Amino acid sequence: MTKGKISLVLRLLAVGSTAAAIAIMVTSHETAKVLNLSFNAKYSNTSAFVYFVVAEAIAGGYSLVSLLLSCMMPARRLVMTMDVVIAMLLSSSISAAVAIGQVGKKGNSHAGWLPICGQVPKFCDQVTGALIAGFVAAAVYLILLLCSLHSLLALKP
């Protein structure tokens, strides 16, 4: 396989994994009743999950645009630079979402926050699935970045 084909496959994989992460996270919601009070758990209740969805959408959109740009020789440096930006964006959004997910799963005894995954297990399972798809997207971007660096350094005399 040539470097161009590898890049194409990786970018298509990035589009698929970001789309999966968005679809899973956006459809995650569940209602629970605790002490005669009902509450609705959904991704939009937490700013870290909203940030995760927006970052995944930006990464997926960029992946589609970069499919066209990566073929053009003068744009290779721009594509590599944007790959770095997208990889860091995905990394930060996943970190924020995992931190909130951990609080939801384990709670925080120091702050007095109780875990909620016992009451809304379907919601927590979907969030976990979205985070796994997000990790796949971040890993793909890391590999893309390494391939871009290799290609750029191979062009230098």
Side-chain angles (χ1 to χ4, degrees):
M1 258 182 139
T2 66
K3 290 179 186 176
K5 287 182 182 177
I6 292 171
S7 177
L8 176 71
V9 169
L10 288 172
R11 290 188 191 283
L12 289 173
L13 185 59
V15 169
S17 59
T18 57
I22 292 167
I24 295 168
M25 184 64 87
V26 169
T27 60
S28 64
H29 57 83
E30 187 174 2
T31 302
K33 200 170 209 178
V34 178
L35 301 173
N36 268 347
L37 298 171
S38 71
F39 69 96
N40 192 12
K42 53 186 174 180
Y43 88 98
S44 59
N45 292 344
T46 307
S47 58
F49 291 161
V50 173
Y51 173 54
F52 175 79
V53 169
V54 170
E56 294 289 327
I58 290 169
Y62 165 73
S63 294
L64 290 173
V65 170
S66 68
L67 284 171
L68 302 173
L69 290 178
S70 63
C71 300
M72 295 185 261
M73 188 61 132
R76 281 195 177 170
R77 287 181 189 252
L78 173 65
V79 169
M80 187 188 74
T81 303
M82 289 304 297
D83 284 350
V84 170
V85 171
I86 295 298
M88 295 304 104
L89 178 67
L90 289 174
S91 176
S92 69
S93 72
I94 290 168
S95 298
V98 166
I100 293 300
Q102 184 67 15
V103 171
K105 185 175 182 176
K106 302 279 185 179
N108 185 332
S109 60
H110 302 292
W113 298 336
L114 299 174
I116 66 158
C117 284
Q119 286 79 31
V120 286
K122 180 183 154 214
F123 172 76
C124 290
D125 291 344
Q126 281 191 269
V127 167
T128 301
L131 292 175
I132 290 169
F135 273 114
V136 169
V140 167
Y141 265 97
L142 177 63
I143 295 167
L144 268 169
L145 183 57
L146 293 174
C147 288
S148 295
L149 282 171
H150 181 267
S151 294
L152 189 66
L153 293 175
L155 292 176
K156 295 209 174 201

